[in-house]
Amino acid sequence: MLWRMKTALSELARRTAAPPISWLIATALARPKLISLAAGFTDDASLPARAVRDSMHEVLRSPKAGRAALQYGTTAGDPRLRELTAAWLRRLDRAPAARKEYAADRVLITGGSQQLLYLAAEALCDPGDIVLVEDPTYFVFLGIVQSRGLRARGVRMERDGLDLAHLKQVLDSLRRSGQLRRVKLLYLVSYFQNPTGITTSFAKKAAALKLLKQYERAAGHPLYLLEDAAYRELRFAGADEPSALAAPGFANRVLYAGTYSKPFATGLRVGFGVLPEPLLTAVTRIKGNHDFGTANLLQQTLARAIASGRYEKHLGELQKRYAHKAAVMRVALEKYFPKEVQWDDAHGGLYFWARLPRGVKTGVKSRLFRAALAADVLYVPGLLCYADDPARAKPDNEMRLSFGSASEANIREGIRRLGMVLKKFLPPV
Ligand SMILES: Cc1ncc(COP(=O)(O)O)c(C=O)c1O
């Protein structure tokens, strides 16, 4: 009898699809002449090598302190870094020192904010549960949703963020269909959203929390707002919006995910969460099983960088640099893109989001995408940023363009090449 070997992989492992971005990165690496406006990488030329070296040197200078940094730390993170992180958030949100929502003991240091997003999903959601996401949203979060067997519902966006009327519609329809009990959280990339660049106003975040609260009785449990503030510090125009933690009376429903990647050094892979109980305990325990703590040496290096003022100095320079790179992309878009393509100016973050006329497809299988590749320029197709939501078809006429990692010359040339390709695909007016 023939004996067939079965896979030993878990359901989760079998379900987990290859991240779409790995294909995009592999494509970029395989074509040396290709200009990638797809990568979400940060600006290479300004990475703070000296600030990190000096900070790490200070950590390791004395053998005693050096040995402490080379030992395991606690799962929750380096106490000094947790203090400094809490103080930074209080400053950004103009919150009084006494507010317990901003206490250092609510801060959990994680392996990038990506780990916090994963842990939050792991702590709150079982397979089949539903997360509400922006339409479109950060595609790596959609990877977590897919891998963990969760379902997603998209909520439309407006110029100032989430469309609250649509959020209500979605919640109502889930209630009607008896699925509200499966809803656990609303995931919001609230500052210079990846991919659209949109910032959700504080008023809207507070209103979304109020709305979620009204559905808790029907859901039978708390409904959380997971606020992903990965790009908050990368503002180069206008005033900062307070985080959802500042919404009076709702902080026990907010999970705030922040990072030191984008504003300082992506390679350190240090991020953080601010969490209410009982989530803080649950997430810390699960993190303990993952890694029992983010790299201590890197946390202490970061704490030195912040305490010495190097972090803020670097951030100031970085904001100017991204303002410049965004301006380079804006000028190129004005010059080279056909007028039928719509896009909004960037005030922070790393992205422009371009909307083509309906019917002009941008997906990886589209003729336009292949023509762009042939012209040696890569973008992120908008399609990848939409959740599998049975309530609507995914738009397929958008693209994300990043000014993060490409040089100024490559931004100009990349947009010029893409503009040439677009002109061939847009119907004449
Ligand atoms: C919206 C968003 N959230 C979270 C992350 C994760 O970043 P990190 O893990 O480096 O903090 C990214 C990275 O690109 C992102 O774009």
Side-chain angles (χ1 to χ4, degrees):
M1 224 172 60
L2 204 59
W3 183 76
R4 292 258 306 277
M5 186 86 90
K6 283 197 192 139
T7 177
L9 291 176
S10 69
E11 275 180 30
L12 181 140
R14 275 180 281 151
R15 189 169 51 222
T16 303
I21 194 71
S22 57
W23 181 81
L24 291 177
I25 292 171
T27 307
L29 292 176
R31 300 174 73 115
K33 286 210 202 106
L34 182 126
I35 295 177
S36 176
L37 303 175
F41 279 35
T42 48
D43 180 59
D44 214 44
S46 59
L47 283 168
R50 178 190 285 263
V52 171
R53 188 188 60 205
D54 292 349
S55 304
M56 194 175 275
H57 180 71
E58 282 172 22
V59 171
L60 296 172
R61 192 162 42 200
S62 105
K64 189 163 172 254
R67 280 196 294 271
L70 292 172
Q71 185 53 272
Y72 284 128
T74 60
T75 302
D78 175 60
R80 183 94 184 97
L81 185 59
R82 292 172 79 199
E83 285 286 352
L84 289 163
T85 301
W88 175 254
L89 274 184
R90 277 198 301 270
R91 206 176 106 192
L92 289 182
D93 278 355
R94 286 177 229 97
R99 275 199 60 186
K100 64 179 187 320
E101 293 83 5
Y102 296 84
D105 61 10
R106 287 211 175 187
V107 176
L108 174 71
I109 305 294
T110 50
S113 56
Q114 190 63 38
Q115 188 187 36
L116 198 271
L117 301 182
Y118 193 90
L119 291 170
E122 207 171 24
L124 279 169
C125 303
D126 294 308
D129 279 351
I130 297 173
V131 295
L132 308 178
V133 299
E134 291 157 305
D135 233 0
T137 188
Y138 172 42
F139 52 80
V140 186
F141 187 77
L142 292 177
I144 299 175
V145 168
Q146 191 275 327
S147 168
R148 298 206 57 78
L150 313 182
R151 295 178 287 159
R153 290 288 178 276
V155 180
R156 286 196 288 268
M157 295 179 79
E158 299 173 318
R159 280 255 157 82
D160 59 346
L162 206 67
D163 178 341
L164 291 165
H166 191 228
L167 174 61
K168 185 169 179 330
Q169 263 176 39
V170 172
L171 287 164
D172 281 338
S173 100
L174 288 165
R175 180 164 56 188
R176 275 195 306 275
S177 63
Q179 297 189 85
L180 204 57
R181 286 183 176 273
R182 301 311 301 262
V183 177
K184 295 293 177 59
L185 66 102
L186 165 65
Y187 170 65
L188 216 61
V189 184
S190 49
Y191 298 88
F192 314 112
Q193 196 228 26
N194 178 1
T196 61
I198 290 175
T199 294
T200 292
S201 65
F202 174 68
K204 281 201 159 179
K205 289 186 283 199
L209 280 163
K210 203 168 157 199
L211 195 60
L212 288 174
K213 190 94 179 182
Q214 290 164 13
Y215 290 80
E216 288 191 347
R217 185 185 277 268
H221 52 240
L223 295 173
Y224 289 98
L225 172 64
L226 172 53
E227 174 166 37
D228 179 343
Y231 297 92
R232 181 175 192 178
E233 284 82 2
L234 299 190
R235 176 180 286 280
F236 42 74
D240 187 37
E241 291 275 334
S243 77
L245 290 168
F250 289 106
N252 62 349
R253 293 291 187 267
V254 178
L255 293 81
Y256 181 95
T259 187
Y260 289 107
S261 280
K262 310 285 177 189
F264 194 60
T266 25
L268 288 175
R269 305 298 301 117
V270 179
F272 59 90
V274 182
L275 306 167
E277 287 297 359
L279 276 169
L280 179 64
T281 300
V283 167
T284 310
R285 286 178 184 165
I286 300 172
K287 179 170 163 66
N289 287 341
H290 278 260
D291 61 13
F292 41 88
T294 299
N296 207 6
L297 175 63
L298 301 183
Q299 291 187 67
Q300 296 204 16
T301 299
L302 205 42
R304 280 303 317 154
I306 298 169
S308 64
R310 291 183 193 109
Y311 170 79
E312 250 191 283
K313 181 164 176 288
H314 176 72
L315 181 55
E317 289 161 8
L318 199 61
Q319 286 160 339
K320 285 196 205 108
R321 177 136 183 83
Y322 283 134
H324 174 66
K325 292 182 86 171
V328 169
M329 189 170 268
R330 178 193 317 122
V331 169
L333 286 167
E334 276 162 1
K335 184 163 173 195
Y336 297 119
F337 264 36
K339 297 287 167 269
E340 299 87 329
V341 179
Q342 296 176 354
W343 46 271
D344 293 317
D345 199 7
H347 299 287
L350 301 179
Y351 311 108
F352 280 84
W353 179 249
R355 295 178 300 275
L356 277 53
R358 264 171 211 270
V360 185
K361 291 190 187 333
T362 57
V364 281
K365 296 205 176 103
S366 68
R367 283 169 48 234
L368 195 152
F369 185 81
R370 285 204 300 271
L373 260 191
D376 271 325
V377 58
L378 192 65
Y379 59 84
V380 171
L383 194 67
L384 299 180
C385 308
Y386 286 90
D388 292 325
D389 180 340
R392 54 108 183 88
K394 292 183 193 186
D396 190 11
N397 60 324
E398 294 155 319
M399 51 174 73
R400 190 193 80 175
L401 303 165
S402 172
F403 50 84
S405 69
S407 66
E408 283 94 324
N410 277 351
I411 291 173
R412 262 182 230 109
E413 176 57 16
I415 295 294
R416 190 189 71 78
R417 289 181 193 174
L418 205 48
M420 302 252 292
V421 171
L422 284 170
K423 281 181 189 139
K424 289 194 202 131
F425 282 84
L426 293 195
V429 276

